[in-house]
Each structure stands twice: as structure tokens, then as C-alpha cells.
Amino acid sequence: NMPEINVTPLGAGQDVGRSCILVSIGGKNIMLDCGMHMGYNDDRRFPDFSYITQNGRLTDFLDCVIISHFHLDHCGALPYMSEMVGYDGPIYMTHPTKAICPILLEDFRKITVDKKGETNFFTSQMIKDCMKKVVPLNLHQTVQVDDELEIKAYYAGHVLGAAMVHIKVGSESVVYTVSVNKYAKSHISAWIDKCRPDILISESTYATTIRDSKRCRERDFLKKVHETIERGGKVLIPVFALGRAQELCILLETFWERMNLKAPIYFSTGLTEKANHYYKLFITWTNQKIRKTFVQRNMFEFKHIKAFDRSYADNPGPMVVFATPGMLHAGQSLQIFKKWAGNEKNMVIMPGYCVQGTIGHKILNGQRKLEMEGRATLDVKLQVEYMSFSAHADAKGIMQLIRMAEPRNMLLVHGEAVKMEFLKGKIEQEFSIDCYMPANGETATVTTNPSVPVDISLNLLKREMALGGPLPDPKKPRTMHGTLIMKENSLKLVSSEQALKELGLNEHQLRFTCRVQLQDPHSDPDTLHRIYTHLKSVLKGYTIQHLPDGTVMVESIVIKVSSSAEDTNAKVLLLSWSYQGGEYFFTALCIVKRLMYQ
Amino acid sequence: MAAHLKKRVYEEFSKVVQVTHEEAPAKKLRLSKPSKSAALHVDLCKASSSTDALQYLLTFSRKPVEAESVEGVVRILLEHYYKETDSSVRLKIASLLGLLSKTPGFSPDCIVDDAINTLSSESKKHLDSFTSGNLSDSSFGVRTKCLQLLGCLGLLEAPLAAMRDVQSIISDYFGDQDPRVRTAALKAMLQLHERGMKIHQIIYDQACRLLSDDYEQVRSAAVQMVWVLSQLYPESIVPIPSSNEEIRLVDDAFGKISHMVSDGSWMVRVQAAKTLGSMLQVSPHFLEQTLDKKLMSDLRRKRTAHERAKELFASGEFSSGRKWADDAPKEKLDTNTVNLIASGACGAFVHGLEDEMFEVRNAAVEALCQLARSSPSFAEKCLDFLVDMFNDEIEEVRLQSIHVLRQISTHITLREDQLDTVLAVLEDSSRDIREALHELLCFTNVSTKECIQLALLELLKNLNKYPTDRSSVWKCLKFLGSRHPTLVLPLVPELLSTHPYFDTPEPDMDDPAYIAVLVLVFNAATSCPTMPALFSDHTFRHYAYLRDSLSHLVPPLRVRTDLFLQQSLNRVSTIQNLEAAGAPELLDLTIRDLQRLGELQTELAGAADFCATFLRCQLLLMKALQEKLWNISVPLILKQNITVTAVLDESYKLEFLYSGLENRQVATIHHVRLQAKALQLILAARTRHGLDSLISSCEKFLQDVESFQRLFLTELPHLQDSFVEKLLELLPRLSSCKPVEQVKILQTTLRQSGLLQLRLPEQIHRATATIIEPTGESDNPLRFTSGLVVALDIDATLEHVQDPQNSVKVQVLYPDGQSHVIHPKPADFRKPGPNRHRLITQVYLSHTAWTEPSQIEVRLLLAYSSSCSSRLGWTDAMDSLHPAEGTVEGTIPFSKHVKVFIMPKPARR
């Protein structure tokens, strides 16, 4: 009955969004991420926790919860699970995630409860209570959840504070990672050591994409902004508050610095401002350039970027504005867009995907006349650009990660089934390891081959060392004699004497005897003496004794000669040896026999 | 206790033992005096426990060891090594041996020598068995040290049959359980290679296996090892596993090292990227794969941005990215052909250039450069990638890639879209970047006239934004024009805004932008005779003006001037001796002509200046020797004395300020100096009455003559009819007669000797320096508190200065006659181009309080080392006898003075 690791996705199994994966490893149950689905407004938006237990609290069934990063599809269901379903155990996340997560949860709650008017949703207080259960993680810090379970976080790139987690129970281990961002030079980067986990669980959102270098896209983006500014136009960049906004801020900030530009850059207040504050605090979690510059100043202490005020939109002259939300469907970004849409000198740059039905989607598809509320129409004269900056790992990134960590099995989550299938095939082909892609509620089972640690007594080891020189040849295994004692869940290798002593047993001597019939005309003592001298001449370096009681001892072998009463020529050679002396016996026997048949 | 002890050992381990040494004596007196080794021996014998022994070794290691006793010490240590059972003591001994073998003055082969020659063959086994005994020690430290020792001392010649080859011993430890030992084994092998041993090819497979080691230092060393082997056996054939194909070893190694460019550790990545650059033998097929990248989106192949740019360029469209999803994927991919993890060389540079660590990117750029320089087709291919690097976020990388592109620019022609990206960098706020780019543009080939227009436009923009770049931009346009005359031709009417029927207003002559345009046009016109026809009248007038004021940027349009120089020199050669009538006038005229020529013709400036200075020396000598001057009274001779010093100064300038001189010219210069010294002697004889001083001066002069003869023995045949030749004829007589007579002989010889012919060398350049900043125009004094310092920024360009780090100094002259010479830091010198340096430094000024602001003078000095002149046989005693006003000993001022207003204020209480 081999030990197993079971992985069951409650969300994100062959699906995107609502990440929630259950792992049971070495008798421990761990929940990885606790996300929500943006596409649903009913019960389906949260993972189905009843899978774990029908009634009652989750605390008894889960040893810990680990959150990889602050995106809502990875932490959105956290207050619901901990406060409404009930979980009091530890929740692990990195410091930046812990800082940013409640802001997003609160924002999400406001939209759902205050704007959409839903009831039966978690409250602000619940978010706070939930956050009290959080235990922050540092990078590369090994945290003992209990005596056996330990976890360790690594950089994952993707967004600020995103982490890969290495979970270990005994010799079994699992690594869970979000979209690792190795390839595209984001402002954050990923690395893991060769920990050879049993399973590597990875996201596969962009499983079938290999992307072009980010540098080209950045250059395009900067060139477009620069040209517009030089023309005297205004640039609007609709963004969501976190992640990409900061990335673009840094990009523009450095470009302004480099090119010595003077036009003002603004970002809208509120959420972005708060988020920028956290980026400023967690500067060490960012990339080399930003960290290097920190010696002089904090990059997020923007020099050229200032907070936006509603009245600035009417200011003359060129400017760049980052405004929320990202799809131009409401709020500040839409207001500014309306103001600037009429001038062909201006430009709007959409840095991300836009959902169908939003103004962002319409203008990206080339619509030049928009119908606004109240039957008014808006002529779109400004230039519309699309830039894709996404921080998800592409296929190559995932393959790189496998190469780095060398897992024994691979498990894909958070991606579309078809794309996963492709990646699975590739992984199996390139690395010849098994790859799983369980659907929601489906369990993937991996049997592990745990190594069994055995304590060896120091005396025994020293004795063996003394026998075979100071150091064993590193290329050859060596056998040794000893006794394995299994006692109270622990294994011990000791010398046999010690084993006897510990177990309180007596040592039993085992002797074998053997008779050899032969013809020899000499008398008994003569025969014995001949055997003795012969053995003495052949077996040099062995202790051979001729004892006065008419026996010859070769090490522990006893040789006796007796003749039968009727035929004095027919001699019977009596050989007796102990269990340990077996190896010498056959040598001695052969020699004696050869002597006699000469 | 044991743990404590061990700790101590490791502490000691990291300590550098100060082994001072004396020069190794010629013969070895082995253990003849009570040396260190004897004392050590006694100590070690006394030591009762391992702790004691260790203690002795520690104290021993702190003391210096004389080189002569090292050998004895080594033997005693070896002996004790055997007796010793404690591993920490053995470790210490091994590390001591390693250190001792590095003792300067003690040849590292000495131990081996010992083993072979001095001692019996037993000792040879001694070393071998010593190391191999050590190698099986259980402590990794001992094993590591032993491998190091093997690497340093392993026998180079073929070992005896009985003994194992040192390489195979070391390679056994490639599989050691401790990564540190594996690293040490690889390093020892590399050390053997460095010492000239040929590493066996069987090591290759083992080294390749270590490329996938768990530890980065092992992988890093393995990369080096694989590289070494690929250089040793480039053409050997190795099989590809899992197929029956075979490839060249260098290609195989290239593929494997390329793979390491995507390693987990950035140190290894840097190492791999650097290494790739030096694998020039690799097949072009493999090389080109390093730039391969296939993109896909939802299993459809996508064109890369580079490909799109190229297509757009080919189809003549200019907008890009305006359309929604213009990067939409095209063909459907066969899932089987997609290689996700790049195998072999695939995309190595694509990864390297996009690495998150700038060190890796820098190394990749450097490697690209090296490979591209040796392969034009690869240069063409990597262009897109290099141009992309111009937008890197780290300035160092940007700068590096600009430099690289300049280096490979002979192989390539930029496309318009690429040029566009390149030119965008002109707006960079870093001066270094901009100037590097100007330098690059000087050497760039472009393909169309639009490119020229684009470049001009961007350069003018740059000029507008950063007016300080003026000279750099003009120079850049000069080269752009002279490189692409045919592309400039169709642009001329537009550039000069001429109109076929109407006269256009005359542009402002002082506008830097207009000058820039003219520089481009005029330089193009030199090799395009039809172009001047398109100029309007005022353009010709402007040409005349610019030719005069910016002669280094504006070339002559038709006249040939290089013959002129030779003609002038020939004219001078007609002067027979220094007293010929009309000679001074002729010389005067020629000097004037040459000076003017130097101003007009930058490429001839060095030669013209050189000739002019030489002739001026001759002229001065000639005047000093004129008959009537010798009749005046003694006090007036002072004037001639000044002349002599001037000639001497000029002769030093001639020797050290110009590069490209041949031995013959140096001889001529020294000849002039000899003449000056003779004159000096004659003058001294007239003024001084003390006979003793005269005798010593005479002797000195004779010495000078002799050393001249010694130095320029080969040149003497060329010096016919000259002063020195006559002097050498008279030398026996001179050395025997009295000083007064000597002087008389000298005087007549000097006056009869003819003018020495000057032959010009092929290439001659004058070292020049131009201080760009401070400009000397500022009226605002630099105020600071007296007693404190103020930093003055100095920015200067130096041309044709060899080794400026050591020879260029900044001199500051205060109004009270104080002068300071400041030696700039080596890092302050940048090298923007061949034979050009740029000095950007700060000098610190300080002075006691003044009542009102006053000017200080700043200038650059070129120091020539006295060792250099004494090597040539001249003592600098002559210089120190007559320090000229304002010159520092052994230095030549080679830039103009710049005046800076400063005002030290009294400190406020």
C-alpha cells in the first residue's frame, strides 16, 4: 500500500477562474487558493465547500489554506469560506498579498452589495476577521505549519507579492505556482531551486501561447505615447487599479526620465493611489532595475507622475492620464474619454482585453460613432490603440519552470481543457513525466515512492569504515552487516550484538558438520598431519592450528579424522563449521579434497 | 572541542598568509642555517596532540617564509602529513602546501622538481601518493585542497606506466558527492589546461554531464570546461544521443552551452552567454538558430514583431499597430512540430537578450558582437535584436549595444524602420548614450534618401534639445554626408530650400541647425561633382566662411593641398647653411604657409605643425648665430639665452607631442637639441668666468654627443653634412683640447653646418586637447568659502594622446602665481572613438580669501616621463636648469588656457 498524494480542484479544474485546489499529502489536507468566479452572480461564483464537509466547520478537515496572490480569482472567496462557512485554521500569504488583498475584497464587496444590492454576502467586518487569521510569509522562509507540514514561498512574478509555494510533508512534496512570469520581462521575476517535488501544480492559462519579447511591445507603446505628446495631444490609458497600472507607470516614468520629457503624467486617485503606496512599501519584491534604482530613490516615489484632479482634464497642452476602470465602461476613464474623444490629436491606449459590450470593446473594433445615454452620440475622432500587456506565463515559461524544479509529476489547472491537452502532450513528450489535468471535483492520485529514513548506530558505521578503508568509493555501493530493528514507528540499523542485547535474546550458535569419505593408507594422526601441513602451505595468512586433541582448526573450522573399524584405509573426514565461517569452509574443503585425490 | 577546532581551521582557511619573500638566491643552500623548516620540524615533533600540532601550524602560517627554505618546509610538511591522523591537521597542511607553492620566488614546479631530480624516485611517489591518499579523505576541504594542488602541480609530461594519469585521477572526482569537490575538480582540470596540458577528449562527456548538476558553481565551471574542450577538439565528431547522426564537437558544445543561457542561476547564464561569443568555429547553421524564435497564439503561428516590421517595410506601409489585432495569428500549427523547450542552440540569444538580469543581457550583447564580427550574414540577422536593445531599461546595456552596433557597422546596412528605432535614442538624456549614438551614425550605412532625411531631422531635433551636442552632431553629419553622397544629392534643393525660379531668403549663418545642414551637404559634395551646381550664391559665400571657421568639418571642394606640404619642404631644402642670405625670410614665409595649411587641412594638421615647429627651431638657431649679435656686450646675451631655452622646449614638444614619429625624425629632433646645447655652451663660455663650471659643462656636452652617436648609429648616414657629423670628425681633437678651445671649435662648426633635411613620416599626428567646459565665458564667479574646496567640472576632448590615463594632467594657475597640477582618475577618461579620448572630471580648487573675484587659468598638460627621455640618453638635468616660465617640469601644455572666475570668501564667523 504505497502512500499517495491526492489533488482535487474545487475550482479551476479545466476551467479559468475560481481557483481552489485541495491537496492531501502525507495525511495533511491543504487548500491552495480560495478564489471566486467573475462570470457568475449565483452560488457558482464560489467553490463548492460542501465537497469537504456537508455541515459543520472546515477547521477540522483542513490543516491550512495558502493564498498565492491577491487577484480575486485566487482570494475572492476567502472571507466567505472562513467566516460564513467557518474556518479558524491558519491562512498563509505573503506580506504584499496580505496588504493588498483586503483592499480588493472590500472594493469587490462594495460593488456587489452597495451597487448591485445583493444580500447574504460577506461584510466589512468579516473581511477584517478573516484577515486576522492570516499568517504572513516571507520569501524563502520555511514555515512549520505543524510538526510534519512545512511550507516555503518563492517569487513567482505575475503580480506584486505573488508566490510559488513548496509544500512538504516528510519526503513528499508539492509545488504550487500561479502563472509564473519568467519570459516576458515583467517588473517581477521568478526562480525556484531544484527541489524535485512529487507534483508541480501549475496554471496553464496561456498554455498554447509563446509570446514575442516584451521589449518590442514596450517600445511600440512608448513610441506612440511619445509621438502624441510631441504633437501636443493628450493620451488616455484606461487601467485597472493594480498590477498593470504600476507596470506602465514605471515604464512611462523611466521613459520620461530618459528622454527628458516635461509633459505631465497623472494617475487617478483612490484605489490606484493606495496601491502605489503598497508598491512603494514592497519595493524589494520588484525587479532588478527598480531595486537598483532604490539606492538613489524609490522608483514608486514618482517624479513625473502626479495625482489627477477632475479639473486637469480641461487643461491645455499635452498630458498622459491613467484612469480607472480599464474597459471604459464607467467612472473616471469614461468621463475623460468623452471630453477628449473629439480631437484627433488625442489618443487612447487600451492596455488589456475588453469585454463585449463595453465602450472599450466597441472602439477597439473600429466603431467611430458611439451612442451614449440620452440618445446623444459621440464622434470618436481620437486615435485608438491596443497594446497587450499580460503577466501570465506562456508555454515556454511553464516548461522552463519544469526544467528548474524537475518534478516527478505535473498537474495543470486554471486553463481551458483543449489548451491543457496540448501542453500535457508536450510535457509528457519532452520530460517523460506523467501529467494530470483533473476537472472540478475530480481527484488526481499520485503514488509516491517515499524514501524510508533509517537510523544507523555510530558504532556500526565506524566499524564498517575501519574495515574498508577511510572512504568508500563514491561510485560503488557497499554492503554491510547489521540488524534492522523496527520499533515504535522508527527504524534502526545496529550491529547484531547490540540488537541481541536490546531485544534481550540469547545468541545461538549454528554449526554445520560434514563427512567426507576417503581412502588413505596412513594412520589417522598421519593423515591429519598431512592435511595440516598442506593447509598450512596453501592457506597463508590464516590461523591454522593443530590441537593436541587430534583436531585441526582452520579459523573456526574443525577438522577431525577417524577411520572405520573394518577398513583402516577408509577414512572419514569430519568437518564442522559455524554459520559465520561458511565462506572459508568451501575453500578448505576443496583443498583437502584435492590433496586426497592426488 | 573538535567542532571548535574545526571552526578555527576554517577561519584560518580564509586568511591570506602574508608570505614576504626575498629574491631567490642563485644557489640553494639547503638547510644550511637554522631555518624555518628546522624550527617547524622541531615544533611538530614536540607536538603531543593534534591540537598542539595545529597550533604550531597556525603560528607557522602567520610568519613569513623565506623563499630558500620553502623547499625544506614542504618536505617536512609532507612527512608530517603521513604521521598525522587528525583530519583537521592534514587539511591545514594541505592548504599550507598550496599556499607555499604559490610563494613568489619559489618556482611552483619546485616540489615536482624535487620529486624528480633532487630527491629519489621515492619522493615522486611521495607526492603522488600524498595527493591520492588525501583525495580519499572524508573531509571535503581536504579533497578540495588536494585537487587544487594537483591542478597546480600535476605532472605535465606523460606519467610512468605504473602511475595513473593525473587527468583521470581528477576526473574521478567529477562524480564526488560534494559539489565543492566537483567544482574543485573541474577547476583543477582547467588549471592543468592553463598550464599547457592537453586535456583528453574523454573528459568532454563527463563535463557535459556536469552541465546539469544541481549546483550552480559546478555548472558554471562545467561550462568553462566544455568550452575549453570545444576549442581543443573543434572538428572531432560526436554522436547525437537517441539518433544515429553525428555532429562536430564544437557544434555540439555550442548547443549545450546555448542551453545553459536559460539556466536557473544568473551567474551560469552570464558565463554561458559570454562563452558563446568566443566560439567562432561554430557552423553558421547552428549560429543562426540562436536567433530563432517561433511565436504562437492558441496554436497558430504568429509573426514576430520583427517579421511584421520587415513586411510592413517591404509593402511600403508605414502605420503599424493601428488596426485591431493586426498581430492576429495566421497559419494553423501542427502540434507535433512545436518545440516548446528550445533544444540545442535554438533561441539562445533570444533568451539571453530578454533575461531579467542586465548582466546576462550585457554578456549576450557582447557575445553577439563577437560572433557578428566574424560572420557578416549573422551580423545582418542579429541587427533587429541589437536595435531592440537600444531601448533596454538599463543604461549600461543600451550603451553597450550601441557600441556593439558600431563595431559591426561595416557589415550592415540599416533599414528605415530600424534606423527609426535607433534615432529615437537621440533624445536620451544621458550624454554618453547620445555621443555613442553619434559615433555610431558616423559609421552607419543607410539604404535610402528617406533615411538620410530622417537622420538629419532627428539630429537637428537633438541639437535643438541639447545644444551642447553641437560639435558632436556636426561631426556626425560630416561623416553621414561623405558616406552617402548619392543619397544626399536628391535632397539638396529641399535641404538648402532653393527654388528654381525664386530667390529664397538667405538663412542665418550663425544658426547651428543651418550649419549642420551645410556640413552634410558640403561633405556630400566632395565626391559628387554635380552637386555644387545646385547651390545658390549665398551657399558659396557660406562655404567660404565655414571652410575658414570650421575647417575640420568642411572639406575643400576641389583644390588638392597635400602636395603643397612637400613643395614647401623642398623649397626650404635649398637653403645651404644657416648663414645663407635670405634664408630667414624664406623660413619665415614657409612657417606661415605651413601654419595656415594646418588650420585648413585637418588631416595634414599634424604634419604641417610638425614641420613648422621644426623650421621655427632652425630659424631661431639661425638668428642666434648671426654675426652681429656676437659683438654685443655680455649682459645682452640674455636674449640669446632665452632663444636657446625656447629651442630646447620646442624640441621636446617635437618629440613627445607628435605620434607616428620614426627613428629618423627622432634623430633629427635630437640633432636640433644638440645644436641648441652647443649654443648654450658657447654662451656659457662667454658669460661665466669660472673655469670649473665651464669644464664640467664641456664634459657634459661631450657625453651628450657620445650618447647621440650611440643611440642613432643607424641614422648617422642620413645626417650627412650636418653639425653632428662634423662634430664627430672633430671629436678626438675636441676631447683632448682645453675648454676654451673647444668652445671656439664648436662655434665655427655650428656656424658652418648646413640645414638638416626633414623627411616626413607616413602618418603624423599632433596630440591636441580642447577644453569644452569650462567655457571661460562666464562672468559669474564661482563663490566658495576660503579654506574649503570647490569642485570645477572639466570636460575636454583629447586627440591622438597615447595612454592619457598616465600622461594627461590638469594645471590650475592662481593669480598669485601658485600652480597646481592635478592628475585625473583613470575612470574619468572615456574612449568614444579610435585615437580620441574624452576627459570628464572634476578638479578641486581652494585658496585663501580674496577681496574680489579674480580669474584662475586652467589648462591641460601632457606629461612626458623622464625615464623615456633618459632612455634616449638625455638627462633631465638640462630641463631643471632652465625651468621656463609657467611650465612644469617634464610637461608640455597642449591646450589653450581657460579662464575661470572664482571668489573665495572669508569664512563667516
Side-chain angles (χ1 to χ4, degrees), chain A residues 238-280:
Chain A
V239 286
F240 288 103
L242 281 156
R244 200 160 306 150
Q246 279 74 24
E247 200 176 319
L248 294 178
C249 275
I250 289 281
L251 198 62
L252 277 190
E253 169 86 8
T254 15
F255 188 70
W256 250 238
E257 187 83 19
R258 231 181 93 190
M259 294 303 188
N260 209 356
L261 297 176
K262 295 284 180 282
I265 309 173
Y266 300 109
F267 65 86
S268 56
T269 45
L271 207 51
T272 324
E273 203 173 12
K274 253 188 206 162
N276 281 351
H277 177 64
Y278 284 115
Y279 272 79
K280 218 184 287 180

Side-chain angles (χ1 to χ4, degrees), chain B residues 782-784 788-794 841-846 900 902:
Chain B
L782 207 57
R783 291 174 193 279
F784 62 101
L788 300 181
V789 289
V790 66
L792 177 68
D793 286 310
I794 302 240
T841 187
Q842 284 193 324
V843 298
Y844 300 108
L845 309 174
S846 185
V900 182
I902 63 163

